[in-house]
Amino acid sequence: MAARALRIGLIPGDGIGREVIPAARRVLEALPTSLNLKFSFVDLNAGFETFQKTGSALPEATLETLQGECDGALFGAVSSPTTKVQGYSSPIVALRKKLDLYANIRPVKSVGSRDKGGKVDLVIVRENTEDLYVKEEKTYEGPNGKIAEAIKRISERASSRIARMAGDIALRRQRARETGFDSIHRQALVTITHKSNVLSQTDGLFRETARHALAQSPYNELAVEEQIVDSMVYKLFRQPSAYDVIVAPNLYGDLLSDGAAALVGSLGVVPSANVGDGFAIGEPCHGSAPDIQGKGVANPIATIRSVGLMLEFLGEERAAGYIYEAVDGNLEEGRVLSPDLGGKAGTNEVVEDVLNRL
């Protein structure tokens, strides 16, 4: 059988993205030949530094190459300014919209001694295209000073497809458990997160639509519950093992994802993928980390796990499994760890340890 050819766009972005994306390429190149995969790569530009040089954070050439040539992509990090910069907008947000990557998938799993709040093995499925992140804001003068307003947009279409994505992930995780994959859970569970007790129209629509979608076959075999977002934050930190798959609108998913990372020690171990129908971009959850840029100590684990996540959504679950097993072995042993996890190993040392396990 001919090897499956996959062309992967590599977008280092800013800061430590230039250090972790090369690590990701090395992992793909080191996968066992028995997987029958053949990778080719194309280097692409995006990010704040690209904006400073060219006037565009997401050059049209990058977008055209992703759309016309690539099966998937890996994005390193982006340095977004904290104050408004005329003409600048986040390239990763633009990619999500342009490529209709409507789901942000963030698995959070504890391994070994790095548990901060008990065993954790959950996936947060965040709607990626709407909510307050449509960025329709205005500021105007009121009788007592300035007033700022923002649109919170929730649609039935977006809510339904993100719920189905969460259902698909829950079913896939359950199948993996039934074939012997290690997990703290016995039964698939989807938790719908919202604030419909206050936002009865927007979050109310999200809640109702997600409920309806998950009541249809094949998702009707799943256990489904609801959780108000503020009480969920409390429970997430008190009883993280209670959650399996969490589905949430954009803003809540964003906040819960970064919060959950604290349960496993560092953003440096938490992967994510921006997923649409037939395309996925793996993206570590950490930022560009300018304070450690160029020092060779950036943790590559989140990026390597993001490689696995990208492959998973490209239909290569077996290849993803090899990567997850190698990373878990590194963390379980705890001998070759980067400084953010209390170790002394540099980026390349961690990568070499993972490659040896592959």
Side-chain angles (χ1 to χ4, degrees):
M1 182 186 296
R4 182 187 180 190
L6 291 172
R7 188 156 176 80
I8 306 300
L10 301 178
I11 312 172
D14 302 315
I16 62 170
R18 297 191 190 89
E19 299 167 47
V20 295
I21 290 300
R25 175 172 177 162
R26 292 180 66 192
V27 168
L28 286 169
E29 291 173 332
L31 284 169
T33 56
S34 59
L35 292 170
N36 213 25
L37 295 173
K38 183 179 180 180
F39 295 99
S40 63
F41 304 94
V42 55
D43 295 317
L44 300 169
N45 294 317
F48 186 61
E49 290 183 27
T50 298
F51 169 79
Q52 291 176 312
K53 293 175 182 176
T54 69
S56 173
L58 180 62
E60 195 63 32
T62 295
L63 188 60
E64 289 175 358
T65 301
L66 289 172
Q67 291 174 318
E69 294 184 26
C70 296
D71 300 290
L74 295 165
F75 193 105
V78 62
S79 297
S80 293
T82 55
T83 57
K84 183 177 180 180
V85 175
Q86 188 66 35
Y88 176 80
S89 61
S90 169
I92 195 66
V93 172
L95 280 171
R96 291 167 183 167
K97 291 180 179 179
K98 297 284 187 180
L99 301 177
D100 196 25
L101 305 176
Y102 60 86
N104 183 264
I105 314 299
R106 295 198 183 188
V108 181
K109 181 181 180 181
S110 60
V111 178
S113 61
R114 274 149 296 284
D115 309 340
K116 300 298 182 184
K119 286 290 184 181
V120 185
D121 183 9
L122 59 86
V123 179
I124 297 174
V125 183
R126 165 188 166 194
E127 203 289 316
N128 232 1
T129 66
E130 52 181 30
D131 199 359
L132 285 167
Y133 288 45
V134 297
K135 294 185 70 175
E136 294 183 20
E137 299 179 279
K138 64 179 180 180
T139 302
Y140 57 92
E141 291 292 339
N144 297 306
K146 289 183 178 180
I147 299 172
E149 294 179 351
I151 297 292
K152 177 182 172 75
R153 180 171 293 123
I154 300 290
S155 71
E156 188 173 35
R157 174 177 178 267
S159 301
S160 180
R161 66 181 182 174
I162 199 65
R164 294 195 301 272
M165 175 70 77
D168 288 334
I169 291 170
L171 290 172
R172 185 161 68 240
R173 282 164 63 85
Q174 186 61 20
R175 287 195 299 270
R177 292 178 197 122
E178 292 169 356
T179 57
F181 191 80
D182 183 47
S183 175
I184 63 172
H185 303 290
R186 293 184 178 179
Q187 181 185 17
L189 171 67
V190 179
T191 304
I192 302 168
T193 308
H194 58 83
K195 187 68 176 174
S196 66
N197 57 326
V198 175
L199 301 169
S200 58
Q201 296 294 310
T202 50
D203 281 22
L205 179 62
F206 181 85
R207 171 190 173 276
E208 293 164 11
T209 304
R211 272 282 186 189
H212 178 75
L214 292 170
Q216 312 306 308
S217 179
Y219 313 119
N220 53 352
E221 66 184 71
L222 297 169
V224 178
E225 65 175 8
E226 298 176 27
Q227 189 81 50
I228 300 295
V229 65
D230 46 349
S231 63
M232 180 169 187
V233 171
Y234 175 82
K235 188 177 177 183
L236 181 64
F237 282 91
R238 297 281 292 185
Q239 300 172 267
S241 61
Y243 294 110
D244 182 20
V245 177
I246 298 165
V247 61
N250 206 339
L251 177 61
Y252 307 151
D254 193 3
L255 299 175
L256 290 170
S257 297
D258 282 3
L263 297 169
V264 292
S266 170
L267 277 172
V269 301
V270 182
S272 78
N274 296 289
V275 179
D277 296 326
F279 200 88
I281 298 180
E283 177 197 5
C285 289
H286 59 68
S288 59
D291 57 320
I292 60 170
Q293 179 181 348
K295 296 181 179 180
V297 297
N299 190 344
I301 293 296
T303 303
I304 295 172
R305 279 177 161 171
S306 297
V307 173
L309 205 53
M310 177 194 70
L311 289 174
E312 197 176 324
F313 284 95
L314 294 179
E316 298 296 338
E317 293 180 33
R318 187 167 165 236
Y322 274 100
I323 293 172
Y324 298 149
E325 186 176 354
V327 168
D328 286 355
N330 166 271
L331 294 174
E332 187 72 49
E333 187 176 87
R335 184 177 56 85
V336 185
L337 299 176
S338 54
D340 60 313
L341 295 178
K344 297 181 180 179
T347 305
N348 288 334
E349 292 173 90
V350 177
V351 174
E352 288 293 339
D353 187 68
V354 172
L355 293 179
N356 290 336
R357 295 172 190 276
L358 280 175

